[in-house]
Amino acid sequence: SQQGEEDPQALSIQEGENATMNCSYKTSINNLQWYRQNSGRGLVHLILIRSNEREKHSGRLRVTLDTSKKSSSLLITASRAADTASYFCATDAGGGNKLTFGTGTQLKVEL
Amino acid sequence: DAEITQSPRHKITETGRQVTLACHQTWNHNNMFWYRQDLGHGLRLIHYSYGVHDTNKGEVSDGYSVSRSNTEDLPLTLESAASSQTSVYFCASSAGPGGYNEQFFGPGTRLTVL
């Protein structure tokens, strides 16, 4: 069963706009990670946030974590066409780096 | 540069045949993982290993096996391929044990079982 569920399933925006994706999960976690997957490629790690952290930034990415609501959000600011990809959240419940992935959000950034 | 590779990239096989998918990493990572990716399901964990001679079942392990004889390789074997195993398979690795580690993914193997 999936631990994480992303919302929305698909998102289409214009270049320069911000994109927000949400992830909900079911059990307590050690950390939560976000990955990007370009069409036909493997996944690439974007950012990791620990269970005791509430917000983390990396370049144009901002991730928040609310453990009381069992939810996380990924914000991509000033999006570019190159950001077009699927985005997955993944939870590590036990700290052994065994990840459970959500079903992903397909982001399309149009020129 | 360190990397993780998978072979073959594409494979077509018949129902009932044994198939082995290769995964090789040069990160010297202790942890290695196999996932399958299907539409509507995201990635699901098949098997994983925390070191040489260590293997563990994941969420969807039935019909699959792995063995870890060295640090670099974790081959995935489908004992008797079934049409339900048509999927894209990803191998990943991460440093360990424990800690807060990202996973590094291979490019994937697209397997079709006819």
Side-chain angles (χ1 to χ4, degrees):
Chain A
S1 61
Q2 298 300 126
Q3 163 76 308
E5 296 292 336
E6 279 95 338
D7 171 56
Q9 289 187 335
L11 179 61
S12 182
I13 59 174
Q14 298 294 312
E15 198 171 48
E17 295 181 336
N18 295 342
T20 300
M21 287 158 268
N22 302 296
C23 169
S24 61
Y25 57 91
K26 298 174 183 174
T27 65
S28 37
I29 61 173
N30 174 278
N31 66 83
L32 185 145
Q33 303 180 28
W34 285 90
Y35 287 80
R36 184 187 74 230
Q37 183 181 33
N38 290 89
S39 182
R41 309 288 293 273
L43 279 73
V44 174
H45 181 264
L46 295 175
I47 197 165
L48 180 154
I49 186 166
R50 302 183 182 194
S51 60
N52 61 354
E53 297 176 316
R54 291 297 167 257
E55 187 171 312
K56 202 162 183 180
H57 296 256
S58 176
R60 294 184 295 113
L61 305 181
R62 173 180 169 254
V63 169
T64 62
L65 179 64
D66 187 335
T67 53
S68 67
K69 294 181 179 179
K70 290 186 172 59
S71 67
S72 174
S73 67
L74 170 67
L75 169 68
I76 304 174
T77 59
S79 61
R80 306 165 181 169
D83 294 328
T84 294
S86 292
Y87 292 81
F88 295 88
C89 69
T91 53
D92 181 349
N97 201 221
K98 185 162 69 78
L99 298 178
T100 302
F101 284 83
T103 50
T105 292
Q106 283 188 307
L107 173 66
K108 184 176 182 181
V109 181
E110 300 183 90
L111 295 170
Chain B
D1 288 346
E3 60 178 355
I4 179 165
T5 57
Q6 294 183 234
S7 63
R9 295 295 313 279
H10 301 270
K11 173 79 175 177
I12 299 175
T13 191
E14 295 178 342
T15 301
R17 291 190 178 266
Q18 184 180 80
V19 176
T20 296
L21 309 182
C23 175
H24 179 80
Q25 53 100 359
T26 58
W27 293 97
N28 199 34
H29 284 161
N30 286 320
N31 305 337
M32 294 185 74
F33 307 85
W34 273 105
Y35 298 90
R36 60 178 288 173
Q37 184 175 33
D38 305 286
L39 280 174
H41 289 279
L43 278 82
R44 291 181 290 174
L45 184 63
I46 305 171
H47 282 286
Y48 59 102
S49 168
Y50 287 142
V52 177
H53 301 311
D54 175 74
T55 61
N56 305 278
K57 294 181 179 180
E59 179 189 353
V60 289
S61 60
D62 287 349
Y64 304 94
S65 64
V66 294
S67 63
R68 186 94 179 268
S69 59
N70 59 50
T71 300
E72 296 79 18
D73 299 289
L74 186 70
L76 176 71
T77 297
L78 286 67
E79 306 293 346
S80 177
S83 58
S84 60
Q85 295 177 307
T86 292
S87 186
V88 181
Y89 291 86
F90 289 99
C91 178
S93 71
S94 68
Y100 299 90
N101 300 304
E102 64 182 281
Q103 291 189 10
F104 294 82
F105 281 78
T109 294
R110 182 174 295 277
L111 176 68
T112 302
V113 183
L114 300 176

